[in-house]
Amino acid sequence: MLSQVKGLSRHFTQESLRAYLLDRSVRRDDGCLIVRGYGDRRGVHQKLAGRAWAHIAAYVVFVGGYDPDLDVDPRCGVPDCIEPTHLRQVSRAENCRTRRRGDRCRNGHDREVDEATGRYRRVCRICNREAQRRWRQQRSAEVAQGRAAYGRDPSASSDGLPDGG
């Protein structure tokens, strides 16, 4: 059964992998069993035990009956949760259908509803506007620095022709 998990280190047995996962996890108040993987980012799927995904390894060890053609999905919606009662196997289409986009972007702005689809917009307009403003400021600073490097006055005309011509 463990041989079906892609990227899992071969030295693990059912018991050693179970102990490994439980040692690296913490129980939250809401019932989720959160695993600590290789990275320090929380709220994303974690890799551990070789290069295997933790939620897939947990499904194999705690639940059993793993089918590699199906996706393992946490019902609670927390990607780094390995609680056995929260894990289920669904088809790729079902997994994509049930994904939910949050009502706030990662910077905390309220998402707008797209009138055409009735779903939340993929890109936050406020974050996009701020990113474009930062890009324009950076680009204008690069242009001014380039002009100064070639001895041109930054306030001169931008068409490249001498004045009065």
Side-chain angles (χ1 to χ4, degrees):
M1 181 71 82
L2 292 181
S3 62
Q4 294 180 333
V5 179
K6 186 176 174 184
L8 185 63
S9 180
R10 285 185 286 214
H11 77 275
F12 281 107
T13 63
Q14 290 278 117
E15 295 77 30
S16 66
L17 184 57
R18 179 178 288 120
Y20 181 80
L21 288 169
L22 290 174
D23 286 343
R24 297 185 66 93
S25 59
V26 175
R27 173 86 50 196
R28 283 195 333 197
D29 294 336
D30 60 359
C32 288
L33 190 62
I34 305 298
V35 69
R36 296 181 313 271
Y38 291 138
D40 58 354
R41 290 182 59 201
R42 296 282 66 100
V44 298
H45 288 292
Q46 297 292 310
K47 280 194 170 184
L48 50 99
R51 289 177 22 181
W53 294 107
H55 64 289
I56 295 174
Y59 188 86
V60 170
V61 171
F62 297 125
V63 180
Y66 174 68
D67 181 6
D69 295 330
L70 298 175
D71 288 351
V72 176
D73 180 46
R75 289 181 182 145
C76 58
V78 179
D80 50 356
C81 177
I82 62 168
E83 170 62 36
T85 59
H86 294 184
L87 299 176
R88 64 182 175 156
Q89 274 203 295
V90 294
S91 67
R92 174 64 52 97
E94 177 66 22
N95 194 11
C96 292
R97 238 189 329 273
T98 59
R99 253 186 232 146
R100 181 174 126 7
R101 183 168 287 135
D103 57 350
R104 293 187 172 272
C105 74
R106 64 180 169 183
N107 293 323
H109 303 124
D110 288 331
R111 286 197 193 270
E112 298 176 14
V113 175
D114 187 8
E115 296 173 5
T117 62
R119 296 181 178 176
Y120 288 118
R121 292 177 55 89
R122 191 170 140 224
V123 177
C124 173
R125 289 187 188 204
I126 298 170
C127 293
N128 191 22
R129 187 180 322 122
E130 291 173 1
Q132 288 179 0
R133 181 186 50 77
R134 285 191 308 268
W135 181 84
R136 282 193 296 275
Q137 287 176 346
Q138 180 183 3
R139 183 71 181 135
S140 65
E142 290 172 359
V143 168
Q145 184 180 17
R147 286 182 177 168
Y150 287 104
R152 293 189 50 202
D153 182 19
S155 63
S157 66
S158 62
D159 58 3
L161 298 175
D163 289 335

